[in-house]
Amino acid sequence: MQTQFHIDTQGPGLTEFTDTVARWLRGQGDGLLTLLVQHTSASLLIQENADPEVQTDLHNYFARLVPPTTDPSMAYLTHTYEGPDDMPAHIKAAMLPVSLSVPVTAGRMVLGTWQGIYLFEHRNRPHQRKVAAHFRAD
């Protein structure tokens, strides 16, 4: 079983889409869910979904770790013609997962109590991102 999710982002940061995936899986049995973000400037994460400060802190950490190309420390980058956030977005996507595997039992993802599935947008403006999903039943 396969589908594609369209995730609207509001610019840089984490967008949770756990409920969307859960609705799609409802009624399925046991198996393995695989998700893949189909973009080179975004990532996928399983992260805490109880306290929104976690998402804010993650975004701020990676913004400091990999600043835009206008920052003097990034002067060595050559891929700059798509904007000062583009190459840093590619670097962040290279550092973080772009695919996830999640076990599924009785049609429910086996996530921890405070875990959610997030798309991590690394570009500065809103995007609609595509996430391919594949569920393989046991």
Side-chain angles (χ1 to χ4, degrees):
M1 187 168 86
Q2 296 186 37
T3 195
Q4 187 178 76
F5 299 109
H6 297 265
I7 312 299
D8 292 320
T9 70
Q10 301 305 309
L14 287 90
T15 301
E16 186 175 8
F17 65 107
T18 311
D19 290 344
T20 302
V21 177
R23 279 191 300 277
W24 179 68
L25 286 170
R26 198 169 292 137
Q28 300 304 313
D30 299 346
L32 184 66
L33 168 68
T34 303
L35 300 170
L36 171 73
V37 62
Q38 298 178 289
H39 304 274
T40 59
S41 55
S43 304
L44 295 175
L45 295 178
I46 294 176
Q47 198 45 255
E48 178 179 327
N49 64 1
D51 184 351
E53 289 178 350
V54 172
Q55 291 90 52
T56 300
D57 288 347
L58 281 169
H59 165 69
N60 291 338
Y61 173 80
F62 280 99
R64 283 185 66 187
L65 186 65
V66 188
T69 58
T70 53
D71 187 291
S73 69
M74 303 301 274
Y76 65 92
L77 294 176
T78 58
H79 178 74
T80 60
Y81 58 89
E82 292 182 54
D85 66 325
D86 186 49
M87 190 60 215
H90 293 302
I91 293 169
K92 292 169 191 172
M95 296 170 65
L96 295 164
V98 295
S99 67
L100 300 172
S101 295
V102 180
V104 175
T105 301
R108 295 183 60 160
M109 291 178 283
V110 183
L111 294 171
T113 302
W114 307 115
Q115 289 182 320
I117 299 174
Y118 291 87
L119 185 133
F120 197 165
E121 177 63 66
H122 301 306
R123 295 298 304 267
N124 285 341
R125 65 179 178 80
H127 283 83
Q128 184 177 80
R129 300 301 195 169
K130 297 175 188 172
V131 177
H134 178 255
F135 174 71
R136 181 177 176 108
D138 289 340

